[in-house]
């Protein structure tokens, strides 16, 4: 980060985040976690069948070493992010939509064949899909996912704490204080600085995670095991996103 003795210098927080990403990209092993699960039933995969696949811990890890991989079960019931499915398929959208295919990371292409709605048209309970075991189809979109490790067995459930910047502006100390007793900074607090997700699903390999472990949850960011975590209730804190989520104005995009 560098050192300065100037009283008036202000080092952008994004610079620290840049160096954190550079370090964790080399040292944090990969894993898959779904924050807001949407159920997908693979209709052309037989009941009870589980295919063990390999996920790579690091993109440049040696392909011939077993330690380079973690196990990822693929079964009839998988879960994707709710935000990775849309009823409409706009241009430049690479997620899943009715009649559209997407690739499940480390697994197979799947094509949405049916949508099961809830009490209203906007409430999607689950989707049905078919997978391409030959992998001949080449969809552009690649999704992270988690599957039932065995028929009828819920995936590993974890708590995720998503942290963003505490303040909306780059320099809250520089705000003109028009409030009594120096409270201007209170107006600058980011109401979305912390979000707790209690029902996230994770791949089975994360069950062994302990305090001090760090991971890149694919497409989500870099995470560390919180000190509140126990073997019965794993808790992960997001250290930083994969890329800057703040615009020039200082607020979330």
């Amino acid at each position: 980060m560098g050192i300065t003795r100037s009283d008036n210098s202000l080092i952008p927080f994004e610079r620290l985040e840049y160096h954190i990403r550079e370090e964790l990209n080399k040292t944090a092993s990969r894993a898959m976690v779904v924050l807001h699960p949407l159920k997908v039933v693979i209709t052309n995969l037989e009941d009870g069948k589980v295919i063990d696949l390999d996920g790579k811990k690091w993109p440049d890890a040696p392909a011939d070493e077993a330690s380079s991989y973690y196990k990822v079960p693929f079964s009839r019931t998988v879960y994707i992010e709710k935000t990775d499915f849309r009823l409409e398929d706009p241009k430049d959208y690479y997620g899943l939509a009715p009649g559209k295919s997407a690739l499940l990371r480390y697994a197979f292409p799947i094509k949405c064949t049916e949508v099961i709605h809830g009490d209203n048209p906007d409430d999607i309970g689950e989707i049905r899909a078919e997978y391409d075991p030959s992998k001949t189809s080449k969809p552009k979109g690649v999704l992270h996912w988690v599957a039932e490790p065995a028929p009828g067995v819920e995936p590993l459930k974890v708590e995720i704490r998503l942290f963003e910047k505490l303040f909306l502006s780059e320099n809250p100390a520089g705000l003109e204080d028009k409030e009594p007793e120096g409270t201007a900074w209170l107006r600058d607090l980011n109401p979305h600085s912390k979000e707790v997700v209690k029902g996230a699903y994770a791949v089975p390999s994360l069950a062994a995670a302990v305090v001090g472990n760090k991971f890149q949850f694919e497409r989500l960011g870099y995470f560390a095991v919180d000190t509140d975590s126990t073997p019965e209730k794993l808790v992960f804190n997001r250290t930083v996103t994969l890329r800057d989520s703040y615009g020039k104005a200082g607020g979330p995009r």
Side-chain angles (χ1 to χ4, degrees):
M1 287 291 293
I3 299 174
T4 178
R5 298 178 64 180
S6 173
D7 292 335
N8 298 319
S9 64
L10 182 67
I11 299 175
F13 193 74
E14 289 76 14
R15 184 183 298 182
L16 173 61
E17 291 185 324
Y18 168 81
H19 290 289
I20 290 173
R21 292 185 184 99
E22 287 291 295
E23 172 65 18
L24 292 180
N25 185 50
K26 296 178 289 187
T27 59
S29 62
R30 274 55 172 173
M32 290 193 292
V33 170
V34 173
L35 298 181
H36 305 288
L38 174 61
K39 184 177 180 180
V40 181
V41 177
I42 310 297
T43 57
N44 62 332
L45 184 65
E46 61 188 84
D47 283 324
K49 185 173 184 178
V50 178
I51 303 173
D52 284 327
L53 304 170
D54 289 324
K56 219 169 186 184
K57 292 183 179 179
W58 292 277
D60 56 352
D64 56 350
E65 293 184 10
S67 61
S68 298
Y69 300 93
Y70 65 94
K71 291 298 180 182
V72 183
F74 176 76
S75 62
R76 185 176 171 87
T77 300
V78 304
Y79 295 88
I80 64 172
E81 292 285 356
K82 288 183 178 179
T83 53
D84 281 334
F85 179 80
R86 296 182 186 178
L87 291 173
E88 297 182 359
D89 184 14
K91 185 179 179 181
D92 298 328
Y93 169 64
Y94 297 114
L96 208 59
K100 186 177 181 179
S101 297
L103 176 65
L104 297 182
R105 182 82 162 143
Y106 307 120
F108 307 94
I110 62 170
K111 181 178 182 180
C112 176
T113 57
E114 185 181 0
V115 180
I116 309 300
H117 294 274
D119 296 333
N120 61 75
D122 295 327
D123 181 19
I124 301 172
E126 66 179 63
I127 62 177
R128 307 284 170 84
E130 294 182 352
Y131 85 113
D132 177 10
S134 66
K135 300 184 181 181
T136 53
S137 57
K138 303 293 182 182
K140 292 183 179 180
V142 180
L143 311 181
H144 62 285
W145 56 282
V146 173
E148 290 185 349
V153 177
E154 185 181 35
L156 176 66
K157 187 175 287 188
V158 299
E159 179 176 310
I160 303 294
R161 298 173 182 175
L162 304 173
F163 291 95
E164 288 284 2
K165 292 181 176 66
L166 182 59
F167 295 99
L168 295 174
S169 66
E170 187 174 0
N171 182 18
L175 295 175
E176 183 180 357
D177 195 351
K178 296 182 180 180
E179 303 292 336
E181 301 179 2
T183 57
W185 60 273
L186 290 173
R187 302 194 311 272
D188 197 48
L189 286 172
N190 178 11
H192 306 292
S193 61
K194 179 182 178 181
E195 177 188 356
V196 178
V197 181
K198 294 183 178 293
Y201 282 154
V203 290
S205 61
L206 285 177
V210 296
V211 174
N213 290 165
K214 50 189 180 293
F215 303 91
Q216 182 198 107
F217 292 166
E218 300 205 34
R219 300 178 67 216
L220 299 178
Y222 294 100
F223 292 77
V225 182
D226 189 83
T227 53
D228 291 342
S229 191
T230 66
E232 295 75 28
K233 181 186 176 183
L234 293 171
V235 181
F236 297 88
N237 294 336
R238 185 171 65 189
T239 304
V240 67
T241 57
L242 292 180
R243 56 185 64 179
D244 182 21
S245 62
Y246 270 63
K248 294 181 180 179
R253 291 175 182 168

